[in-house]
Amino acid sequence: MTDKPLGALVSDWTTPVAPGPMTLEGRYCRLEPLSAETHAALLFNAFVDQDELYDYLPAGPFHSAAQYDRWVREVTSDASSLFFAVYDLRREAYLGVLSYLRIAPSAGSIEVGNINFSKAMQRSPVSTEAVYLMMKWAFEAGYRRFEWKCNALNKPSRQAAQRLGFSYEGIFRQALVVKERNRDTAWFAMIDKEWPAMKEAYRVWLDQANFDAEGKQLERLGDLTGLVRFASDPTL
């Protein structure tokens, strides 16, 4: 026997599978495995004249459909991540991308990232549901931890993480060099024991009854997830 503090036993947990090509569909959007042939030209057009959306991303902006096509082929050939195109079911258009990355089944940890939502998709149920579908699959597959990381200077991303129910975990200083600039990284995460209550918060928020005739929300998602979130971002 030892009197040293040790972590809780994880005896009833099975290592989950790594995500593979799949389609995830909700009420407002559908996530499809990203494909150069199917999506590149349409997504390039969705991001025209929105170069500022790439300020905190590792690649872009792209100034031709050919450039965007090459980027899609590059990221979809990398087995360390799994990219999706976001299809808006109401607008009938592809309006964004996001991915799984830092996929670690043996640790039960997975991250959502490379998020780039066009202006037409931002601040809408589509953008919220896209992330929800990713987290739903992860927790139902058996992952214990779902992560969100962003440039610490990217205040909208930090606000989004908190609204979506991710708990703030701190800043990794000088974590990366991106586009020849220093990047401090803000870390956020959600864990499996929080998921049942978070899932209920999303069910309430995404329900059509939560929106009036003009599409205005009645309940704010941040108010619902804030009841469950473990830690808040002190900068917000």
Side-chain angles (χ1 to χ4, degrees), residues 20-43:
M22 57 185 165
T23 298
L24 304 174
E25 185 159 343
R27 177 177 286 122
Y28 304 100
C29 72
R30 182 173 65 242
L31 307 186
E32 302 174 4
L34 182 63
S35 159
E37 291 79 7
T38 303
H39 305 119
L42 297 172
L43 284 168

Side-chain angles (χ1 to χ4, degrees), residues 25-216:
E25 185 159 343
R27 177 177 286 122
Y28 304 100
C29 72
R30 182 173 65 242
L31 307 186
E32 302 174 4
L34 182 63
S35 159
E37 291 79 7
T38 303
H39 305 119
L42 297 172
L43 284 168
F44 172 75
N45 289 333
F47 290 111
V48 167
D49 296 328
Q50 299 174 57
D51 287 1
E52 67 275 14
L53 298 180
Y54 294 95
D55 286 349
Y56 296 112
L57 292 174
F62 303 98
H63 299 121
S64 71
Q67 280 187 333
Y68 196 86
D69 183 275
R70 284 194 295 272
W71 174 78
V72 171
R73 292 180 187 279
E74 179 181 337
V75 298
T76 55
S77 67
D78 183 352
S80 67
S81 60
L82 180 63
F83 275 76
F84 294 88
V86 184
Y87 183 73
D88 185 320
L89 292 169
R90 296 188 176 183
R91 290 188 174 92
E92 297 185 339
Y94 293 99
L95 297 177
V97 297
L98 73 173
S99 78
Y100 286 124
L101 68 160
R102 288 175 57 88
I103 302 164
S106 63
S109 179
I110 194 167
E111 180 181 344
V112 61
N114 295 300
I115 298 170
N116 196 11
F117 296 159
S118 66
K119 290 180 180 178
M121 182 179 161
Q122 293 175 5
R123 304 179 70 84
S124 75
V126 176
S127 59
T128 298
E129 188 178 57
V131 178
Y132 165 73
L133 291 172
M134 299 279 280
M135 68 173 70
K136 181 176 183 289
W137 181 89
F139 284 122
E140 292 183 353
Y143 284 85
R144 304 172 63 236
R145 175 178 170 85
F146 190 65
E147 297 180 333
W148 174 296
K149 303 185 187 76
C150 63
N151 189 311
L153 298 175
N154 188 350
K155 186 174 181 180
S157 185
R158 293 174 70 156
Q159 290 172 325
Q162 180 157 297
R163 171 182 173 272
L164 291 165
F166 292 86
S167 288
Y168 176 75
E169 295 186 334
I171 301 293
F172 279 43
R173 299 174 300 160
Q174 297 188 183
L176 297 168
V177 176
V178 179
K179 298 177 179 175
E180 300 182 343
R181 294 182 181 273
N182 175 66
R183 173 175 141 159
D184 295 348
T185 297
W187 283 54
F188 298 82
M190 187 184 300
I191 59 175
D192 54 356
K193 70 179 182 180
E194 298 160 352
W195 171 241
M198 286 293 181
K199 183 178 180 180
E200 177 63 13
Y202 276 91
R203 185 196 67 77
V204 170
W205 192 84
L206 288 166
D207 194 289
Q208 290 175 317
N210 188 44
F211 300 91
D212 64 19
E214 287 72 44
K216 183 179 179 180

Side-chain angles (χ1 to χ4, degrees), residues 162-165 198 201 205 217-229:
Q162 180 157 297
R163 171 182 173 272
L164 291 165
M198 286 293 181
W205 192 84
Q217 64 182 350
L218 305 180
E219 292 274 5
R220 292 167 39 131
L221 182 61
D223 292 340
L224 298 169
T225 60
L227 300 173
V228 187
R229 194 173 57 243

